[in-house]
Amino acid sequence: MEAATEVIPKAKRKAKQKWMTDEILNLMEERRCAKGNKEKYEQIHKKVQEKFNMSKENWINEKCKEIEQQRKYAPQTMYRNIEEITGKRTFLSTGCIKAMNGDIIIDKEKILERWAEYIRELFKDDRKDHNIMKNNFAGPPIMKDEVETAIKKMKHGKATGPDNISVELIEALEDFGIGKVTHLRNEIYDTG
């Protein structure tokens, strides 16, 4: 594991929010490293929260100033900035749905009945009956291609689990790593 951390460079953490600064990211990394020491962790966490809140407030104030300036000469940009501050627009549900014939249903019980009808219709299976395998719980083995595809779809830079094995480590091991993961998955699958 130590060799892997020396050879594979750790990806730099990116800001998820527009108001996050490098200073906050560095403090977050320092906090992550201090997880074993509760007192130090809480102290750094408090600092991160203070910096984060201050940075967010400054960012919002700057955006508000921009909106005030854009009010007269750039309304389109102004509305874009307002949406950026407030987040995505959400529409509230009216609490009613349409019946099969197009009538609007408001009564809660009838709405539930309509949903049940919709689900039955959605999952209606008109295919002919197929053979059902009985007492054979073993399925086909997990293929190496499936594991490789799953690993490629995984996001990079995510926290590792208790085993400290990251996606980047498995990818760096290339064919050998994918083979080992495939073997392990099949072992778990077979033994339950």
Side-chain angles (χ1 to χ4, degrees):
M1 193 51 116
E2 291 172 24
T5 53
E6 288 175 18
V7 175
I8 301 172
K10 191 165 185 176
K12 191 177 181 200
R13 222 180 177 138
K14 294 179 184 174
K16 291 182 181 177
Q17 304 295 339
K18 291 175 172 118
W19 54 82
M20 290 181 72
T21 62
D22 288 336
E23 182 185 9
I24 294 171
L25 292 173
N26 292 337
L27 280 171
M28 288 172 72
E29 183 63 27
E30 191 179 326
R31 177 182 63 182
R32 190 187 65 76
C33 292
K35 274 192 176 175
N37 185 346
K38 186 177 180 182
E39 189 176 302
K40 186 177 179 184
Y41 179 86
E42 288 176 358
Q43 180 184 10
I44 296 171
H45 178 70
K46 190 175 181 179
K47 222 186 274 185
V48 167
Q49 290 297 317
E50 287 172 5
K51 295 279 186 189
F52 185 84
N53 291 335
M54 192 169 58
S55 181
K56 181 178 180 180
E57 189 174 334
N58 290 338
W59 181 79
I60 289 174
N61 287 336
E62 287 298 316
K63 281 290 176 186
C64 287
K65 285 177 187 174
E66 283 180 33
I67 290 169
E68 282 294 319
Q69 292 170 353
Q70 295 164 346
R71 188 174 53 156
K72 291 182 183 172
Y73 66 88
Q76 207 63 20
T77 312
M78 178 188 77
Y79 287 116
R80 213 174 304 121
N81 281 333
I82 290 171
E83 283 181 12
E84 190 177 358
I85 289 174
T86 58
K88 293 178 183 172
R89 290 184 285 176
T90 56
F91 301 98
L92 299 175
S93 172
T94 57
C96 61
I97 60 172
K98 288 187 178 180
M100 283 280 263
N101 61 6
D103 294 340
I104 295 176
I105 305 171
I106 298 174
D107 184 45
K108 284 185 179 181
E109 287 182 29
K110 289 184 179 179
I111 289 174
L112 290 174
E113 288 172 17
R114 174 64 183 123
W115 272 112
E117 180 184 21
Y118 171 74
I119 297 297
R120 274 194 302 277
E121 186 180 307
L122 185 66
F123 292 107
K124 184 171 58 174
D125 190 5
D126 292 335
R127 296 176 294 174
K128 63 180 181 176
D129 290 340
H130 53 279
N131 295 337
I132 299 172
M133 296 171 56
K134 293 184 179 177
N135 297 332
N136 185 6
F137 299 110
I142 298 169
M143 305 297 288
K144 197 173 185 180
D145 293 349
E146 294 173 311
V147 173
E148 190 172 3
T149 304
I151 289 171
K152 284 181 182 176
K153 286 183 180 179
M154 294 175 85
K155 291 185 177 180
H156 290 247
K158 294 292 183 181
T160 60
D163 57 5
N164 282 335
I165 299 174
S166 66
V167 177
E168 294 86 358
L169 177 61
I170 296 170
E171 284 182 343
L173 293 173
E174 296 175 347
D175 209 33
F176 175 77
I178 292 170
K180 285 293 181 187
V181 170
T182 305
H183 175 74
L184 180 65
R185 298 287 183 221
N186 279 315
E187 194 77 26
I188 293 168
Y189 183 68
D190 292 341
T191 61

